[in-house]
Amino acid sequence: MAQSTMVQSDFDDQLDDYFKGMMTVWSQCASRLGESSMELCIGGKRVRLRFAGQNLMSFVRPLAHLIVASDSSGAENRSGNVTKPGGDSDDSVALEIRIGEGKSAQLRPPAASWMMDRKDLPPGSHEFESWRCERGKVKINHLPRSSSISLFNCDQRTACYWIDDPAEIPFYEIASPFRTILSWWADTIGAQIAHAAVVGKEGRGVLLVGRGGSGKSTTAMACVDAGLQYVSDDYVWLQMDPQPTAYCLYNSAKLHTKLLPEHFPDWQRQVALEVGPLAKSVFFLHESAPDLVTKHLAICGVLSPKITDRKQSVCLPTSRAEVLMGLGPSTLLPRRSGESNGFAFLAQWVRELPAYRLELGGIPTSPTALDAVLQNRAVHVD
């Protein structure tokens, strides 16, 4: 992912002013389009989403399993913090995200010297080309290709997601919205959003790690197809509670569309949409398999999938270094944050758990291979 980074100490005041300006624009947007809100529970903490208008409500779908009853008495004070009647801070809400779009409200975000219009991008620039600044109290990620901005004020526990045109939402945001904002917030509370899949049974789960294309999502969906519990196929919320625990963040799952007819024929009727240049089908498991979506699982092993020519999948003990290499880079390289404690967090996780290489054979055999780890049985290969 190509990025340019500026020295934070030179821009603290500018970014603080920009955040205030963005909050003003969002308030104008909400005034013109109307506002709706809801609360989620993420890792045991309450997160409030405030939508200006209705055109970005599609972001709720992958988060619907997290919705909890909210207290409608909260109000906004001038500093941007959430307050209860009487002026006390609403400590029950750990994060507030304000979501808005410019096209319907005929509004633009504040101008800034570091913002680049998509027409000014050099030829051949990547879709993920971004400008990030993450080292101060105000963190920002600007994607010129989609004209979207993510902002997070650590002190105020308030964030904003803004896009000029809802039709330009990046395909990867459809299944996992606000991931950049939630990753910043996780850093502040001792949690981590990891690039990993998690499935399990009877309250115990395994963490499947590896770069894109290693087989995580296919293995996770094969396990769901076999009736195992689902937490994640791509991004998962990790905490030490005090043992390693994985929380379901998104109920979305993705598969290469070409795999469906042969390997997942029953899931063809459950496809919600198709996204991305690689033609992946998206499923919302909260809708299609709600009994299998579980809030959290205690993790009993970390597995690194490897595609092989075996007929039967099998789990083999491996080094913790191997699974950390499958977990760390794909989780942390997109961040580029000098303040992130992510690697130390992930290394601690890996030290706490047994490590395995999941040598993948036929897709339907994956759940059986994982069962040996979930049942805490020794794995032997003749």
Side-chain angles (χ1 to χ4, degrees), residues 17-27 108-110 149 151 160 162:
D17 289 343
Y18 190 86
F19 180 83
K20 294 174 182 176
M22 195 69 248
M23 293 297 98
T24 298
V25 171
W26 182 89
S27 295
R108 295 279 295 173
I149 300 171
L151 281 164
C160 181
W162 180 273

Side-chain angles (χ1 to χ4, degrees), residues 138-185:
V138 175
K139 304 180 188 299
I140 186 166
N141 184 44
H142 169 54
L143 290 169
R145 182 70 66 186
S146 60
S147 298
S148 64
I149 300 171
S150 296
L151 281 164
F152 175 50
N153 188 310
C154 300
D155 291 350
Q156 295 185 12
R157 301 176 300 168
T158 303
C160 181
Y161 177 90
W162 180 273
I163 190 164
D164 283 349
D165 184 349
E168 299 295 330
I169 295 172
F171 71 89
Y172 48 86
E173 288 273 4
I174 294 172
S176 51
F178 318 130
R179 181 162 47 88
T180 297
I181 289 170
L182 293 173
S183 294
W184 287 329
W185 175 54

Side-chain angles (χ1 to χ4, degrees), residues 7-314:
V7 178
Q8 178 67 36
S9 58
D10 295 337
F11 292 93
D12 281 347
D13 291 341
Q14 291 94 322
L15 289 178
D16 191 45
D17 289 343
Y18 190 86
F19 180 83
K20 294 174 182 176
M22 195 69 248
M23 293 297 98
T24 298
V25 171
W26 182 89
S27 295
Q28 293 171 343
C29 184
S31 177
R32 295 182 185 184
L33 302 180
E35 178 186 341
S36 57
S37 64
M38 64 189 62
E39 290 188 6
L40 315 177
C41 182
I42 298 178
K45 297 173 177 59
R46 295 177 82 92
V47 175
R48 179 174 295 154
L49 304 183
R50 295 175 64 186
F51 290 88
Q54 298 293 311
N55 290 331
L56 296 178
M57 293 297 291
S58 60
F59 283 145
V60 174
R61 206 170 177 188
L63 299 165
H65 62 297
L66 302 174
I67 296 174
V68 295
S70 63
D71 178 4
S72 61
S73 63
E76 180 191 350
N77 66 15
R78 292 182 180 179
S79 67
N81 293 319
V82 179
T83 61
K84 298 177 181 177
D88 295 331
S89 175
D90 186 355
D91 292 330
S92 68
V93 176
L95 172 68
E96 180 174 283
I97 305 176
R98 305 179 191 184
I99 303 108
E101 51 96 359
K103 184 176 181 180
S104 301
Q106 297 184 324
L107 290 168
R108 295 279 295 173
S113 60
W114 40 262
M115 291 186 71
M116 181 183 295
D117 193 275
R118 73 177 73 189
K119 69 178 183 295
D120 298 324
L121 290 171
S125 60
H126 199 279
E127 182 174 4
F128 304 127
E129 181 91 27
S130 68
W131 186 92
R132 295 177 82 112
C133 196
E134 299 185 297
R135 295 194 175 118
K137 73 172 184 178
V138 175
K139 304 180 188 299
I140 186 166
N141 184 44
H142 169 54
L143 290 169
R145 182 70 66 186
S146 60
S147 298
S148 64
I149 300 171
S150 296
L151 281 164
F152 175 50
N153 188 310
C154 300
D155 291 350
Q156 295 185 12
R157 301 176 300 168
T158 303
C160 181
Y161 177 90
W162 180 273
I163 190 164
D164 283 349
D165 184 349
E168 299 295 330
I169 295 172
F171 71 89
Y172 48 86
E173 288 273 4
I174 294 172
S176 51
F178 318 130
R179 181 162 47 88
T180 297
I181 289 170
L182 293 173
S183 294
W184 287 329
W185 175 54
D187 273 351
T188 69
I189 59 173
Q192 184 73 34
I193 295 179
H195 182 218
V198 175
V199 291
K201 60 191 301 184
E202 298 175 357
R204 290 165 58 86
V206 293
L207 193 75
L208 300 164
V209 304
R211 60 179 178 78
S214 62
K216 298 188 305 298
S217 293
T218 304
T219 300
M221 282 302 291
C223 290
V224 170
D225 204 35
L228 272 68
Q229 293 173 304
Y230 173 91
V231 168
S232 163
D233 88 314
D234 205 12
Y235 293 98
V236 62
W237 182 277
L238 303 181
Q239 289 182 192
M240 299 291 286
D241 282 342
Q243 66 187 43
T245 304
Y247 287 81
C248 185
L249 184 57
Y250 304 113
N251 71 72
S252 52
K254 297 182 291 294
L255 282 172
H256 286 286
T257 302
K258 63 184 180 182
L259 294 177
L260 298 183
E262 180 179 358
H263 299 292
F264 300 93
D266 293 342
W267 285 91
Q268 293 182 96
R269 298 187 298 273
Q270 304 295 339
V271 175
L273 64 159
E274 190 174 84
V275 299
L278 299 179
K280 287 191 174 184
S281 294
V282 177
F283 311 87
F284 295 106
L285 299 187
H286 181 63
E287 302 169 9
S288 54
D291 293 342
L292 299 181
V293 177
T294 189
K295 293 181 179 179
H296 56 82
L297 291 172
I299 300 302
C300 61
V302 185
L303 283 64
S304 178
K306 303 292 180 187
I307 298 173
T308 72
D309 57 2
R310 288 180 175 273
K311 292 184 179 180
Q312 299 289 324
S313 300
V314 64

